């Protein structure tokens, strides 16, 4: 019995401290690589709509009855194409009357000139008085004035006759007719239809004041010209598109910032030869937001957020994970631009970020940062402070 108790005690003693301690786990294995370097430009994201540069409500310019409609609702029309006919007969009669007045005034003027010529000949022989000569000269001038008035009346009558054919003021697309054959239209009041131009077309949008200030500073430093004087490129995608298929150039920047919204209006000119782009269409646009600069790119997975800061883990000389505060920018080719905080020779930890502790020793494994040209960031509405939504490699 005593032997058994001694054996149990010896076993307990051995379990409490007589054996070897467990081995420490090996350092975690992580993949590291130096940042990818590229020449890039930033793009700022906006949303807006297409509008017609020329948008006109056609109104009657003379009174009358519609006698013909020469277009199909919604069709494309050419500049000068006949659209409506207003009964021209009253205005043709007015023109004929004005032309008759011209003939009568011309005959009166010819007679007055002859009388004046005879009076001057007789006056030189003192056969007529000076008063009679002056009266004849005044009569000639009055006849000339009547002829000028007649010609003016004829010109007005010709204009009115021309206004009886309503023509397209420019090439574009017409709306539906607002009047029918037999309707009476009033000069300057009755709306006949609406015509909008399509090629080129404008893309209108509003930019935040912070973006406007950023661009002004870039212009002052010579990095990027202001869109007020420079035709900066704009790329646009429609609501159902994943790529920026439509290219335009900046053509207008308003002269003031709206104090209510804190934005400034602008538009770009976009070629639209097929008429596919229609006024009122929604679009997402990116506007050139910087000049070309050298940037370092890392995957988004290598960046962690510490409250308000962005961090990456950099491998030290003794293979310890060292956090580094960085300033990030837009995305380019599926990678994130790091504006500040990294050196080209830094070894950035790409994997296993979630289980790392600052200063922890790791086992590095060589990796490579690979761009993906097919990836691009989804456009976002401009925010304050400005942050470029995308960037492209040059």
């Amino acid at each position: 019995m005593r032997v058994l108790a001694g054996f149990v005690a010896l076993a307990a003693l051995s379990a409490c401290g007589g054996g070897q301690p467990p081995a420490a786990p090996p350092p975690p294995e992580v993949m590291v690589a130096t940042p990818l370097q590229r020449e890039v430009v930033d793009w700022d994201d906006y949303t807006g709509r297409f509008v017609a540069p020329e948008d006109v409500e056609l109104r009657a310019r003379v009174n009358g009855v519609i006698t013909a409609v020469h277009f199909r609702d919604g069709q494309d029309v050419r500049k000068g194409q006949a659209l409506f006919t207003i009964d021209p007969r009253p205005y043709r009669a007015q023109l004929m009357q004005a032309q008759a007045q011209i003939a009568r005034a011309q005959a009166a003027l010819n007679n007055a000139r002859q009388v004046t010529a005879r009076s001057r000949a007789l006056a030189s022989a003192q056969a007529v008085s000076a008063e009679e000569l002056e009266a004849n000269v005044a009569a000639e001038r009055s006849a000339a004035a009547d002829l000028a008035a007649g010609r003016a009346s004829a010109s007005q009558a010709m204009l009115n006759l021309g206004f009886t054919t309503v023509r397209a003021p420019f090439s574009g697309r017409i709306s539906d007719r607002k009047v029918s054959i037999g309707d009476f239209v009033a000069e300057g009041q009755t709306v006949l239809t609406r015509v909008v131009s399509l090629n080129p077309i404008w893309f209108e949008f509003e930019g935040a004041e912070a973006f406007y200030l950023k661009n002004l500073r870039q212009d002052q430093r010579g990095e990027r010209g202001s869109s007020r004087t420079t035709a900066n490129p704009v790329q646009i995608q429609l609501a159902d598109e994943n790529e920026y298929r439509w290219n335009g150039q900046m053509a207008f920047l308003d002269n003031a910032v709206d104090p209510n919204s804190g934005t400034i209006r602008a538009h770009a000119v976009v070629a639209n030869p097929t008429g596919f782009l229609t006024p009122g269409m929604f679009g997402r646009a990116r506007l050139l937001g910087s000049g070309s600069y050298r940037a370092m790119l890392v995957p988004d997975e290598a960046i962690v957020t510490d409250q308000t800061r962005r961090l990456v883990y950099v491998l030290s000389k003794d293979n310890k994970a060292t956090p580094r505060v960085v300033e990030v920018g837009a995305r380019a080719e599926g990678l994130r631009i790091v504006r500040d905080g990294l050196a080209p020779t830094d070894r950035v930890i790409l994997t296993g970020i979630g289980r790392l502790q600052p200063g922890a020793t790791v086992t590095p494994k060589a990796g490579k940062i690979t761009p993906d040209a097919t990836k691009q960031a989804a456009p976002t509405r401009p925010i304050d402070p400005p942050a470029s939504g995308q960037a492209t490699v040059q």
Side-chain angles (χ1 to χ4, degrees), residues 134-219:
E134 291 174 357
N136 292 334
V137 171
E140 180 184 350
R141 292 174 179 171
S142 178
D146 290 342
L147 178 60
R151 287 173 175 167
S153 297
S155 295
Q156 183 62 55
M158 188 173 295
L159 280 175
N160 290 338
L161 182 60
F163 292 154
T164 60
T165 300
V166 180
R167 300 182 182 275
F170 47 80
S171 297
R173 187 166 295 157
I174 199 166
S175 181
D176 59 335
R177 69 195 74 181
K178 306 301 181 184
V179 294
S180 300
I181 295 175
D183 283 341
F184 181 84
V185 296
E187 175 186 354
Q189 298 180 18
T190 306
V191 176
L192 306 177
T193 188
R194 177 187 175 196
V195 181
V196 297
S197 62
L198 295 178
N199 185 35
I201 196 169
W202 289 352
F203 182 80
E204 280 193 350
F205 60 92
E206 293 183 357
E209 183 176 350
F211 274 79
Y212 179 55
L213 284 172
K214 182 194 75 167
N215 294 337
L216 286 179
R217 305 296 185 195
Q218 291 174 333
D219 184 46

Side-chain angles (χ1 to χ4, degrees), residues 337-355:
I337 292 174
V338 177
R339 295 182 177 275
D340 191 26
L342 279 182
T345 57
D346 284 336
R347 294 182 295 169
V348 179
I349 298 177
L350 306 179
T351 61
I353 307 295
R355 63 179 184 272

